[in-house]
Amino acid sequence: MNYPIPANPQEIAALRQKPVNEELIVAAIAGVVQVARDKGQSLEELIAEVLADDTLLDRSQRRWLGEIVAQAWERLP
């Protein structure tokens, strides 16, 4: 992977300056999961937060994103 996993919210925000591709999205999701774990959040809290203010995705896309976050949560060390 060309992008390291972000370790804090500032590093996640800095990804906005990069061209969007699959690797960037994977790094961003992994970073969000790691930051949430570091804050002591549960998976359910993280998914609720990720989907809370999303007006760009329809219902099926939101469900898909929640599933991707859950998979990342379970697979990351």
Side-chain angles (χ1 to χ4, degrees):
M1 188 161 73
N2 292 328
Y3 299 99
I5 295 175
N8 57 56
Q10 294 79 15
E11 290 180 7
I12 293 170
L15 294 176
R16 293 179 182 167
Q17 305 305 315
K18 309 283 184 188
V20 176
N21 62 36
E22 290 176 2
E23 289 187 8
L24 179 76
I25 293 168
V26 169
I29 291 171
V32 167
V33 167
Q34 191 61 48
V35 168
R37 286 179 174 170
D38 291 346
K39 291 185 342 185
Q41 282 185 296
S42 69
L43 174 58
E44 293 75 21
E45 291 169 329
L46 173 59
I47 290 174
E49 183 178 337
V50 167
L51 300 179
D53 295 326
D54 189 350
T55 58
L56 296 176
L57 302 177
D58 65 28
R59 185 179 179 114
S60 66
Q61 291 169 325
R62 291 168 54 83
R63 192 172 335 118
W64 177 79
L65 179 57
E67 291 171 7
I68 296 296
V69 170
Q71 287 177 17
W73 182 280
E74 296 199 9
R75 292 184 179 167
L76 288 171

